[in-house]
Amino acid sequence: MDTLKPDGTWDRLGSIALLLHQAAIQVWSDADRATADSPLHGLGLGVYLAHSQASAMLPDDYELPDVDEDADLEERTPLQLLTEAEELTRPLPLHRPDLVHGSQLVVDVCDLIREARGLGY
């Protein structure tokens, strides 16, 4: 079975995972500087879980690109990264059996965007 579909599904999902990874790093960095009861800890956990969810949907042999290759990611805010990840979910073929959990990922990312906006990102 060819895991790199010609429609770019895996590359798109890999990009989503990469964006969520960078957003999680940034939110956790902000949470580390915040008080122990800061809602940033919950947001950081949510973004990390969404990243894990996106990564788990990828085929076992798919290799995520190295984060260091795209230094531009560090210049974006977590909200910008989350929004870009959500935009990349729109053309995913969620009807496919191998993307059965994709709808939940879309809902989770939208919830994270709403939460990030509420926290001032």
Side-chain angles (χ1 to χ4, degrees):
M1 178 169 100
D2 181 20
T3 59
L4 294 176
K5 302 278 186 191
D7 63 3
T9 297
W10 301 132
D11 290 336
R12 178 175 294 279
L13 194 55
S15 295
I16 292 167
L18 180 66
L19 290 164
L20 292 171
H21 174 76
Q22 184 61 38
I25 288 172
Q26 290 180 12
V27 172
W28 278 115
S29 178
D30 291 344
D32 286 343
R33 292 187 297 274
T35 61
D37 62 346
S38 170
L40 289 174
H41 296 283
L43 177 62
L45 179 60
V47 176
Y48 178 73
L49 290 172
H51 163 262
S52 296
Q53 188 178 9
S55 297
M57 291 182 354
L58 289 166
D60 291 338
D61 60 346
Y62 185 85
E63 292 186 31
L64 287 171
D66 189 5
V67 174
D68 295 333
E69 292 178 13
D70 193 351
D72 178 48
L73 289 178
E74 295 176 3
E75 297 174 9
R76 298 182 213 162
T77 67
L79 179 58
Q80 290 171 324
L81 294 165
L82 290 168
T83 302
E84 188 173 340
E86 185 277 327
E87 290 170 357
L88 287 173
T89 65
R90 293 176 191 174
L92 286 176
L94 299 179
H95 62 279
R96 286 186 5 195
D98 51 352
L99 295 176
V100 69
H101 300 292
S103 295
Q104 186 60 51
L105 175 64
V106 173
V107 170
D108 291 344
V109 171
C110 289
D111 285 345
L112 292 167
I113 290 170
R114 181 182 38 80
E115 187 175 346
R117 283 185 180 139
L119 293 174
Y121 278 113

